[in-house]
Amino acid sequence: MTAVLCRHFGLKHIEIAEDIASDTFLKASEQWAIDGIPSNPVAWLYTVAKNKAKDYFKHESIFESKVKNGLTPGTYSYETGFEFNHQIIADSQLAMIFAVCNPANTPESQICLALQILCGFSVEEIANAFLSNNETIKKRLYRARANLRNNNFQIHNLGGADIEERLEVVLKTLYLLFNEGYYSKSGNQVIRGELCSEAIRLAVFLSGNPLTLNTKVQALIALMYYQSSRLSARTGEHGEVILFDNQDRRQWDSSLIAQGHYYLVNACTGEQISKYHLEAGIAYWHTTPADQNKWPHILQLYNQLILVEYSPITALNRLFAYAKVYGAARTIPEAEQLQLTDIHYYHELLGYLYTEIDTFKAIEHYENAIQLTKSPVEREMILKELGRLREEKI
């Protein structure tokens, strides 16, 4: 809604569109509770948003004193028809993402702003995505918004060079949007399927435009489809996490795996190898029948991925694959050298590795992981493993 408002009315300040969108949903929560949900909720919401935008422009002194003089001819046209459909909404969202991913800000700030404005992420969710703290993200967002205002931010049609310059950041934004849906680090849901679907929808929309269609885009889509194929198998009846080795493979969606194959084949038509190619390859091997032959392939891909783009999580995931190939005893010294003691995944991995070697150390690391994780669902999963280990010691 924010994207559609900004694009249609040419708002100079993002905050105005955000306020109108918030007011619209507040009105919906009040009126729908009394009258019930309308037959076409989307049309209802956009109609209310349109009317609120018109009222704002007509009656608010802010428009007269701060916005009107800064508008260029053709940017303000609320008297014309307010059209909306799935295509217009998707097009507006992508236009807004490309507009927000403005080189006036650093790539990290661009991604933070896009995740907040277009994807609805909270400060905490953005901090989790960047393995950062809330205060750092707040300052980054504040500076990014100020830079856009100073840069006379507006949505307009970008040329091919602008799109090419910004595409990498847009892809990273969609990647993080999908990751939050695939494994949410905040709230009581470990999986947020609507975020995964939204990321795929926008990425597929990119693949349909000649200016944004390249092998990176197709590799990212392949990764998303492969990961989505296992969503229903990753949680149990009561929302508990089911680890990969314990998943019922009959619940994997073969049609989504087939879509992943299609996009991965198309992604491999050129000579470019990106992190999305490598992660899609890893995801591909995870969808193959369960046998040990796949782990050397997965480890090899992680070895390449960590050189292309290092991150603590990639390093830890690589060590999990390393353990599958070479065993826990050989992996533990490699893991301990990382000294990622402030990340709960580090302690989860060591807890897993020590399980068959030193139960007391495994328990110690799982207890550290519980102290560090912010996810209630993940904490419950670790507590379950802790309980099992403690029973074995009795």
Side-chain angles (χ1 to χ4, degrees), residues 5 27 54 91-92 167 209 245 250 304 318 321 334 369:
L5 287 169
K27 183 172 182 179
K54 286 183 177 180
D91 188 44
S92 298
L167 183 59
N209 189 319
D245 290 339
R250 293 172 298 180
Q304 296 178 63
R318 175 191 169 273
E334 297 270 347

Side-chain angles (χ1 to χ4, degrees), residues 1 4 24-25 32 37-50 82 84-86 89:
M1 185 177 291
V4 172
T24 299
F25 279 93
W32 294 3
I37 298 175
S39 58
N40 190 337
V42 173
W44 190 98
L45 289 166
Y46 276 98
T47 300
V48 171
K50 173 191 68 174
F82 188 91
F84 57 87
N85 54 46
H86 292 300
I89 293 170

Side-chain angles (χ1 to χ4, degrees), residues 182 227 230 243-247 249 252 278-279 281-304 314-327 331 349 352-353:
Y182 184 76
Q227 298 289 62
R230 296 187 285 112
L243 298 178
F244 178 81
D245 290 339
N246 300 323
Q247 290 174 12
R249 286 159 176 76
W252 292 1
L278 297 170
E279 290 198 35
I282 292 167
Y284 159 76
W285 281 108
H286 278 305
T287 63
T288 59
D291 59 62
Q292 291 303 309
N293 294 330
K294 67 185 177 185
W295 288 106
H297 296 289
I298 292 173
L299 178 58
Q300 184 182 23
L301 289 166
Y302 270 122
N303 289 339
Q304 296 178 63
T314 299
L316 294 173
N317 287 338
R318 175 191 169 273
L319 285 173
F320 181 82
Y322 189 91
K324 288 291 187 179
V325 176
Y326 296 111
T331 307
L349 175 63
Y352 167 79
L353 295 174

Side-chain angles (χ1 to χ4, degrees), residues 12 21 45 63 94 126 132 135 151 178-179 195 214 269 273 304 359 377 384:
K12 183 178 179 182
L45 289 166
F63 171 68
L94 281 174
I126 298 172
S132 184
E135 286 305 312
N151 198 48
F178 182 88
N179 280 356
L195 297 185
N214 61 28
T269 54
I273 298 178
Q304 296 178 63
T359 305
V377 177
K384 185 177 179 181

Side-chain angles (χ1 to χ4, degrees), residues 319-359:
L319 285 173
F320 181 82
Y322 189 91
K324 288 291 187 179
V325 176
Y326 296 111
R330 187 169 165 180
T331 307
I332 287 172
E334 297 270 347
E336 291 178 336
Q337 284 182 8
L338 295 177
Q339 285 297 302
L340 299 171
T341 54
D342 57 343
I343 299 177
H344 74 275
Y345 292 125
Y346 171 77
H347 294 287
E348 278 190 69
L349 175 63
L350 283 170
Y352 167 79
L353 295 174
Y354 271 116
T355 295
E356 302 298 330
I357 297 173
D358 187 331
T359 305

Side-chain angles (χ1 to χ4, degrees), residues 21 85 383 391:
N85 54 46
L383 282 171
E391 284 181 5

Side-chain angles (χ1 to χ4, degrees), residues 52 88 192 217 335 373 378:
K52 285 183 175 292
I88 289 174
R192 299 169 65 185
V217 172
T373 185
E378 196 164 55

